[in-house]
Amino acid sequence: AQKITQTQPGMFVQEKEAVTLDCTYDTSDQSYGLFWYKQPSSGEMIFLIYQGSYDEQNATEGRYSLNFQKARKSANLVISASQLGDSAMYFCAMRKRGSYIPTFGRGTSLIVHP
Amino acid sequence: NAGVTQTPKFQVLKTGQSMTLQCAQDMNHNSMYWYRQDPGMGLRLIYYSASEGTTDKGEVPNGYNVSRLNKREFSLRLESAAPSQTSVYFCASSEQGFGYTFGSGTRLTVV
């Protein structure tokens, strides 16, 4: 069974600084996909970024990038130039290829200070 | 706007009451899911439907039933609500596992 671990229950960052949110996963599969979602205080789940296990480049979407280290089984989210609106819960998720069911981590709460 | 619509947004039930959470998507996705979110636990899968006409249990199915009424709609039923089912419920849909679109959630309190 696959498992997602987010070891940081809470993180604080100063506005305009970069922050890294950690995610490690445990799977015996070679082919899988990794996702990050943002959940602001309003409650909706917002898709941020996707990384396939065979993708040669680390995924980037605007200020979001995914630091993918396959050998270490880590998929850390990097947010550059943090904004106050980045304050939210962030969830890492994984699904193995051939399965349409993602498994989610427990989340990291990020607070951006002005 | 295209997306996943969940109703109701809020609900309070008494222990033993029943209710159905409704979910509809207009993106023509084959797969639909029901998750519950509890503090410190992330999202846990209750049931999913890989395609119209099929449903399967997830990690925490006890106390719930589902119906995939058609390709658009996937409902979650609590037959006899218990306080342990107090949670936020999310419906989601996807096409072949590439990106999951979530509804806005239902906050359920069982007293």
Side-chain angles (χ1 to χ4, degrees):
Chain A
Q2 55 210 39
K3 182 179 178 182
I4 303 292
T5 302
Q6 295 181 252
T7 57
Q8 309 153 311
M11 290 284 286
F12 297 88
V13 66
Q14 201 76 21
E15 192 179 9
K16 300 181 184 177
E17 292 185 347
V19 63
T20 298
L21 306 183
D22 294 341
C23 174
T24 58
Y25 55 92
D26 183 15
T27 182
S28 57
D29 296 298
Q30 294 301 310
S31 181
Y32 47 87
L34 296 154
F35 304 80
W36 276 92
Y37 280 83
K38 172 185 178 181
Q39 186 179 42
S41 57
S42 53
E44 70 268 32
M45 295 286 287
I46 302 167
F47 168 74
L48 294 178
I49 196 165
Y50 170 82
Q51 177 86 44
S53 61
Y54 288 114
D55 292 344
E56 294 184 353
Q57 306 263 352
N58 284 346
T60 61
E61 289 286 347
R63 294 186 298 110
Y64 303 108
S65 60
L66 202 152
N67 184 1
F68 179 48
Q69 298 187 43
K70 192 171 183 177
R72 294 187 173 185
K73 294 186 177 180
S74 74
N76 299 338
L77 178 70
V78 180
I79 305 175
S80 63
S82 297
Q83 301 173 355
L84 297 178
D86 294 334
S87 295
M89 283 290 291
Y90 289 82
F91 292 96
C92 179
M94 182 182 73
R95 62 146 183 87
K96 55 183 181 181
R97 204 169 294 271
S99 167
Y100 301 151
I101 305 167
T103 299
F104 285 82
R106 297 191 173 193
T108 295
S109 173
L110 175 67
I111 296 176
V112 180
H113 288 300
Chain B
N1 292 335
V4 178
T5 303
Q6 281 183 244
T7 55
K9 292 191 185 301
F10 301 94
Q11 183 72 48
V12 178
L13 289 179
K14 293 182 179 179
T15 298
Q17 287 185 320
S18 63
M19 79 162 295
T20 299
L21 281 65
Q22 306 287 352
C23 176
Q25 53 93 6
D26 58 6
M27 296 170 287
N28 205 36
H29 286 169
N30 278 310
S31 303
M32 297 186 73
Y33 313 81
W34 276 105
Y35 286 90
R36 61 177 289 173
Q37 182 181 20
D38 302 293
M41 297 298 292
L43 278 77
R44 293 183 292 169
L45 183 68
I46 305 171
Y47 271 92
Y48 69 99
S49 170
S51 61
E52 184 180 355
T54 68
T55 60
D56 284 287
K57 296 179 181 179
E59 181 184 354
V60 289
N62 292 344
Y64 305 94
N65 285 301
V66 290
S67 295
R68 184 74 184 267
L69 304 170
N70 47 54
K71 191 170 186 179
R72 289 186 65 247
E73 299 171 288
F74 188 37
S75 62
L76 178 72
R77 183 161 177 84
L78 287 70
E79 292 290 352
S80 179
S84 61
Q85 294 178 304
T86 293
S87 188
V88 180
Y89 292 85
F90 285 98
C91 177
S93 71
S94 79
E95 186 58 32
Q96 297 186 349
F98 290 101
Y100 298 82
T101 302
F102 285 81
S104 57
T106 296
R107 188 173 295 274
L108 175 67
T109 302
V110 183
V111 297

